[in-house]
Amino acid sequence: MKKLILDLDTGIDDALAIAYALGSTESELIGITGTYGNVLMEQGVRNALAITDLFGHQEVKVYKGLPHASTKDSFEVLDISAFIHGKNGIGEVSIPESSRDAESMSAVDFIIDAVKTYGEDLIYIPTGPLTNLDAALKKAPEIKDEIGRVVLMGGALTVPGNVNAWTEANISQDPDAANNVFRSGIPATMIGLDVTLQTLLTYKETQQWRDLNTPAGSFLADMSDYYIKAYETTAPHLGGCGLHDPLAVGVAVDPTLVSTLAINMQVDVEGPTRGRTIGDPTKLNDPDKSMQVAVGVDVPRFLDEFMNRISGLAKNS
Ligand code: BDR
Ligand code: CA
């Protein structure tokens, strides 16, 4: 059985990623590591604890990660993030705080430990900045050859960014860390805006969760409606909100949901295009390609899987 670690800046679509992972019984969510982005790392960790409680999965351990980018010494949530995800990260919906605490082991040590324990069976799914994975690779570089795969939400290859013309939000938080990860040779699948902006959630689906009449169903519906509403302002042409982070989980569980391009990638770290995800020109002729970039997605099949798995979980919690 595949073992999954989610690395989350637990905002709204990160919360949906937790639900997708817990609703996927063919794999096991062995832990959540916290990062910063949509919210402060500490708030994201609190959200992850509360959400796993709400879904009846108190066994999922949560680990604190690094609180800011590798090249900075602090982090502040951007106004746009608070607008899209709410100040609390979960659309201003209030759910009971968990009585559990984060584990005392650091996220970086947990990642390394999990690679040593599960090797090829481990899939690590970052849906925020790549700061924790970069730190783990610096501490234990050999894990790049031992891990099963990284399936990350971030970047944009065939479409513009969502922060500016070049940059996607997760990569923009720590381009240096992302560049180190991309160029490390670790086997990774990039689930970028190329595909995540094709998978949209609308009020029609959130009504199905509301109709479940369970605490988890109401939470999912209220939180996601907040996200859809924000998208009506930031990207009105889409007609829904992007299912960024859950698609990364979907692909980790079932890689056939996307078609990919094999390519060695880099992230621009200098100049005006800082944060751009692009092919590494120095490895263009290298026959070994360490990354796969998703360029197509089976939208109806993913949406079906998404609704079935999450509704199955929420009807009982
Ligand atoms: C990514 O940025 C964050 O706001 C979302 O949670 C997602 O991981 C989309 O660009
Ligand atoms: Ca995220």
Side-chain angles (χ1 to χ4, degrees):
M1 183 185 262
K2 284 180 190 165
K3 310 288 179 185
L4 310 182
I5 297 176
L6 295 178
D7 186 85
L8 309 174
D9 56 333
T10 311
I12 296 176
D13 60 326
D14 303 79
L16 295 173
I18 297 178
Y20 196 109
L22 292 175
S24 300
T25 47
E26 68 272 62
S27 40
E28 185 191 356
L29 178 60
I30 61 162
I32 294 174
T33 51
T35 186
Y36 60 92
N38 297 326
V39 286
L40 297 178
M41 184 277 293
E42 297 274 356
Q43 177 70 46
V45 162
R46 278 201 298 279
N47 289 348
L49 287 163
I51 292 164
T52 45
D53 279 3
L54 182 69
F55 290 134
H57 281 275
Q58 291 84 353
E59 80 284 1
V60 178
K61 296 191 162 84
V62 181
Y63 301 81
K64 286 187 189 171
L66 296 161
H68 55 74
S70 54
T71 53
K72 295 189 176 158
D73 52 20
S74 65
F75 169 73
E76 266 179 49
V77 178
L78 296 173
D79 289 347
I80 184 69
S81 307
F83 175 76
I84 293 174
H85 296 270
K87 281 209 171 66
N88 69 354
I90 50 173
E92 305 302 349
V93 180
S94 76
I95 55 173
E97 285 271 332
S98 178
S99 56
R100 295 181 293 144
D101 286 324
E103 302 300 303
S104 54
M105 184 188 254
S106 72
V108 169
D109 286 342
F110 171 65
I111 294 164
I112 296 169
D113 201 58
V115 176
K116 302 287 171 193
T117 308
Y118 298 109
E120 286 276 303
D121 289 332
L122 184 72
I123 305 187
Y124 174 76
I125 310 169
T127 68
L130 292 172
T131 312
N132 288 332
L133 181 56
D134 173 43
L137 282 165
K138 282 184 176 132
K139 191 165 179 186
E142 72 282 4
I143 63 171
K144 80 177 173 59
D145 299 316
E146 298 168 355
I147 196 169
R149 193 154 201 90
V150 173
V151 182
L152 67 106
M153 192 284 132
L157 184 63
T158 62
V159 295
N162 57 0
V163 170
N164 58 40
W166 308 111
T167 316
E168 180 279 332
N170 289 338
I171 301 293
S172 78
Q173 298 283 8
D174 195 344
D176 306 273
N179 187 41
N180 291 339
V181 169
F182 279 23
R183 302 183 75 165
S184 69
I186 199 166
T189 304
M190 181 178 118
I191 305 297
L193 300 176
D194 313 79
V195 282
T196 65
L197 286 176
Q198 297 184 47
T199 56
L200 301 171
L201 190 73
T202 68
Y203 294 121
K204 188 171 143 247
E205 287 85 27
T206 61
Q207 186 61 44
Q208 292 176 33
W209 290 334
R210 198 174 302 289
D211 292 343
L212 294 172
N213 269 318
T214 62
S218 305
F219 164 66
L220 288 166
D222 292 346
M223 173 184 77
S224 302
D225 282 355
Y226 187 98
Y227 197 47
I228 295 169
K229 190 118 198 72
Y231 265 72
E232 284 170 4
T233 305
T234 59
H237 60 286
L238 285 177
C241 65
L243 291 174
H244 308 286
D245 298 349
L247 183 58
V249 179
V251 174
V253 174
D254 179 1
T256 68
L257 283 170
V258 290
S259 53
T260 60
L261 175 72
I263 180 171
N264 290 314
M265 294 285 289
Q266 68 168 33
V267 179
D268 292 353
V269 291
E270 304 288 349
T273 62
R274 180 169 160 81
R276 175 173 68 155
T277 48
I278 189 80
D280 177 351
T282 68
K283 289 195 189 154
L284 190 59
N285 296 321
D286 189 334
D288 298 322
K289 316 288 186 200
S290 66
M291 287 187 65
Q292 300 280 336
V293 174
V295 288
V297 53
D298 187 339
V299 176
R301 190 154 71 85
F302 171 67
L303 285 180
D304 242 36
E305 295 291 343
F306 175 84
M307 286 309 291
N308 288 340
R309 285 161 196 261
I310 295 187
S311 302
L313 175 77
K315 76 169 187 263
N316 299 315
S317 50

